[in-house]
Amino acid sequence: MNNAIIWMIIGMGLVTYLPRMLPLVLFGRVELSPFWQGVLKNVPYAALGALVIPDIFFIQDDILFGIIGFAAAVIAAWLGANVIIVVLASVAVLSCYSMLI
Amino acid sequence: METTWTASKMAPFRQGMQAGVAIAIGYMPIALTFGLLAKTTGLTLAETVLMSVIVFAGASQYIALSLLSVGTGIFEIILTTFILNIRHFLMSASLSEKAEPDELWKKALYAFGITDETFSVAAMKEGTVNASYMFGLIMMAYGSWVVNSGIGYAVGKSLPESLQDSMSVALYAMFIGLLVPALKKQRKTVWLAGLAAVFNSLGTFVFHLSKGWSIVLATLLSAVVVQWLAKEGGNKDE
């Protein structure tokens, strides 16, 4: 194995691990103010919004692809399907779409 | 009573594994392609698998490959990785509010497995999360990531093109599947997700921020603004 690549991997691992580990280990011991506790409880919903939009619309060059996948997932989830069904449904709908074009 | 004890001890781990199935499916096409690209970039099989084992962060691993192929220095690749993964700081902090008080080494261990996907699944789970649940969840995600990276390299092929294309929606669909039930339940979550989506779009298209900064700033800004508005609204009611 190439030494430079190994050092790069170790460095990447370190700078990825530290942000994952430090808050979880340290914040468990300090009491945050209610405001910041509230902010941290808001984070997952905000993060999900930012993780989906706008990136989902650009998963393929054809923007319709993302729009259809988005719509299929939203409809399946809105109807109360569990997460795996939502995933499979949107993949299935897009498979049909790519066969049509 | 002993069986009850075993059952309750096993339950969170299995529950975590079950919740991880969607992630395992979603990681498959991305990891296969990563393995394939690593091969064309000139990495060895060992280096490819090692990167997935040690880094376990999809977007950064892809970017590392493309930077390597244009001859970017190692320090810059590490810096880019750091910036891209700063958002995990926010996710880890958020998870600390939901995590049961497990021993510190267990938290330090499962923290390694915090990704956009494992975080989202854990955060949307009802109630709290403990180390057993997180280990089960992460085992599925990590296993899929590492094994499929190796398979992608060894087989030298990804999924058939049309399936690969369709499966590129999988993780986004999972995020939607996690978010929508919350949107239906609570008006506040609509604002949180909607504002963050708008901020992230602005960050991407108007301010041309890198993906790493755009997501973390949009998330934090939305979470703070909505909390502030909720507090103001709450005070008026008093």
Side-chain angles (χ1 to χ4, degrees):
Chain A
M1 284 201 265
N2 181 337
N3 262 333
I5 298 284
I6 302 299
W7 284 114
M8 180 194 78
I9 292 174
I10 292 171
M12 286 175 70
L14 208 63
V15 298
T16 307
Y17 179 59
L18 289 177
R20 285 170 169 168
M21 182 271 286
L22 290 175
L24 190 67
V25 167
L26 298 178
F27 283 30
R29 313 182 134 190
V30 276
E31 188 72 18
L32 293 170
S33 73
F35 179 82
W36 286 101
Q37 282 182 17
V39 168
L40 289 181
K41 284 182 180 142
N42 286 346
V43 160
Y45 307 102
L48 283 169
L51 285 170
V52 174
I53 295 174
D55 287 4
I56 190 172
F57 301 117
F58 304 104
I59 49 175
Q60 300 294 328
D61 295 333
D62 174 10
I63 196 168
L64 254 184
F65 203 89
I67 294 174
I68 292 171
F70 177 80
V74 169
I75 291 168
W78 199 267
L79 294 175
N82 82 30
V83 174
I84 293 175
I85 305 295
V86 173
V87 170
L88 296 179
S90 57
V91 171
V93 167
L94 285 179
S95 298
C96 296
Y97 173 71
S98 47
M99 270 188 270
L100 287 173
I101 53 170
Chain B
M1 282 310 273
E2 255 174 51
T3 47
T4 329
W5 183 81
T6 341
S8 64
K9 189 86 180 161
M10 273 304 292
F13 183 77
R14 287 185 58 178
Q15 214 185 340
M17 278 180 67
Q18 263 174 13
V21 172
I23 304 179
I25 297 172
Y27 277 179
M28 201 170 94
I30 307 173
L32 287 171
T33 310
F34 170 74
L36 184 65
L37 283 177
K39 191 177 190 176
T40 54
T41 309
L43 264 61
T44 65
L45 174 63
E47 288 164 350
T48 305
V49 174
L50 191 71
M51 197 194 286
S52 284
V53 166
I54 290 184
V55 183
F56 187 35
S60 343
Q61 292 182 221
Y62 268 89
I63 287 176
L65 292 183
S66 65
L67 290 179
L68 272 178
S69 67
V70 295
T72 308
I74 283 174
F75 180 75
E76 204 180 325
I77 294 177
I78 294 173
L79 189 68
T80 308
T81 303
F82 178 65
I83 291 170
L84 196 61
N85 290 327
I86 281 177
R87 64 177 183 278
H88 293 141
F89 192 89
L90 201 55
M91 295 177 181
S92 172
S94 175
L95 199 61
S96 74
E97 287 291 309
K98 198 182 172 73
E100 288 174 21
D102 284 296
E103 285 125 286
L104 221 49
W105 69 268
K106 286 186 182 169
K107 283 189 170 182
L109 189 60
Y110 76 69
F112 170 79
I114 297 175
T115 62
D116 296 344
E117 293 77 21
T118 55
F119 166 73
S120 302
V121 169
M124 291 300 136
K125 180 183 172 288
E126 301 265 332
T128 57
V129 293
N130 61 21
S132 301
Y133 176 86
M134 291 305 292
F135 287 140
L137 177 67
I138 287 161
M139 205 185 74
M140 293 298 284
Y142 190 55
S144 170
W145 183 251
V146 171
V147 169
N148 284 310
S149 302
I151 292 178
Y153 190 102
V155 178
K157 255 190 242 155
S158 201
L159 299 168
E161 201 188 324
S162 67
L163 183 61
Q164 178 78 19
D165 288 353
S166 315
M167 280 190 79
S168 61
V169 81
L171 291 175
Y172 296 100
M174 185 187 84
F175 292 142
I176 291 170
L178 290 167
L179 181 58
V180 166
L183 298 183
K184 284 169 81 174
K185 253 186 258 166
Q186 243 191 315
R187 175 60 56 89
K188 189 184 179 187
T189 60
V190 179
W191 282 102
L192 284 166
L195 269 182
V198 171
F199 291 151
N200 192 33
S201 304
L202 288 176
T204 307
F205 299 121
V206 180
F207 299 106
H208 302 288
L209 297 173
S210 73
K211 188 181 150 84
W213 283 117
S214 189
I215 290 183
V216 75
L217 291 177
T219 302
L220 189 58
L221 201 57
S222 166
V224 169
V225 167
V226 170
Q227 190 59 27
W228 184 74
L229 289 175
K231 196 179 141 209
E232 292 294 299
N235 286 346
K236 271 176 213 149
D237 291 340
E238 275 169 25

